[in-house]
Amino acid sequence: QDFEARAMSPVAAHHLSARPAVARRATLSRRTAGDRAPVRTRVRSPAVAAADTENLPANLKKIVSAFQMVPDAMQRYKQLLFFAAKLKGFDEADRVDDNKVPGCVSQVWVVPRIEDGLVYFTADSDSQLTKGLAALLVEGLSGSTPKEIMAVEPNFVELLGLGQSLTPSRTNGFMNMLRLMQKKTLEVYMAAEAAAKE
């Protein structure tokens, strides 16, 4: 190609050598534009997800990990309904306003008890989806210390990957469940401490 360029006029040689450069610039431009597109999508790496779950109680960490292993949103939704079926019976006497989660689309009740320094919950709801959310928290938090429960951040719900399955009002209700369970954890802990001093 260099020999042919020298045999041509300077103008022809210039055009011949310029064409590949222009093509290279166009290709680079297209490649750069294509390379930029994925950057706009935020993807959580396994290392980041692991760091986010590090401070969760052991049972809740296992549940989050199980949900993260399910790639399909519909399957995660079915997994939530599976949790609803596992929720044990709830005492009718506990269906009182003091145990009711405020700001929730459906009716939800939660009751804690403390045994040997660990907190255990029972819960119920009149909606299968909400019952599944309540069961997830019951299983994830039961058997934890009060300190572990109080340390759970409400935004851990993002790690479950249920964004496509929950409306904003359901997500808000889920966080309200967690807040009430934390509030009641503190109450039973303080009551147990007071009783121990008597």
Side-chain angles (χ1 to χ4, degrees), residues 55-56 60 148-157 178 182:
N55 294 323
L56 294 179
L60 191 56
E148 289 172 329
I149 294 171
M150 299 304 294
V152 176
E153 295 290 341
N155 61 3
F156 94 90
V157 64
L178 174 61
Q182 289 175 323

Side-chain angles (χ1 to χ4, degrees), residues 5-166:
R6 284 196 298 272
M8 295 178 186
S9 67
V11 174
H14 169 73
H15 283 296
L16 180 63
S17 61
R19 278 197 299 272
V22 171
R24 283 196 300 273
R25 284 197 297 272
T27 302
L28 179 60
S29 177
R30 287 194 298 271
R31 187 183 297 122
T32 303
D35 289 345
R36 281 198 301 268
V39 176
R40 289 192 290 267
T41 303
R42 187 180 176 185
V43 179
R44 305 182 75 92
S45 69
V48 172
D52 288 341
T53 61
E54 186 176 350
N55 294 323
L56 294 179
N59 289 340
L60 191 56
K61 188 185 298 185
K62 290 178 183 177
I63 292 172
V64 170
S65 296
F67 270 84
Q68 289 177 340
M69 291 175 64
V70 180
D72 182 66
M74 180 56 68
Q75 291 302 318
R76 287 194 294 269
Y77 179 80
K78 289 180 179 178
Q79 193 166 345
L80 195 59
L81 296 181
F82 171 73
F83 270 93
K86 294 170 63 177
L87 204 60
K88 296 179 181 179
F90 192 77
D91 194 333
E92 287 295 324
D94 289 327
R95 297 179 194 273
V96 295
D97 288 344
D98 187 54
N99 297 328
K100 193 173 181 180
V101 177
C104 197
V105 176
S106 305
Q107 296 188 90
V108 189
W109 301 269
V110 294
V111 176
R113 71 181 191 279
I114 191 165
E115 296 178 7
D116 299 325
L118 301 178
V119 182
Y120 299 87
F121 291 94
T122 56
D124 197 17
S125 174
D126 58 359
S127 160
Q128 280 299 106
L129 178 58
T130 310
K131 185 179 287 190
L133 293 170
L136 187 154
L137 287 175
V138 166
E139 186 165 329
L141 298 179
S142 290
S144 304
T145 65
K147 183 178 180 179
E148 289 172 329
I149 294 171
M150 299 304 294
V152 176
E153 295 290 341
N155 61 3
F156 94 90
V157 64
E158 298 172 8
L159 302 175
L160 295 168
L162 292 170
Q164 297 179 17
S165 303
L166 301 181

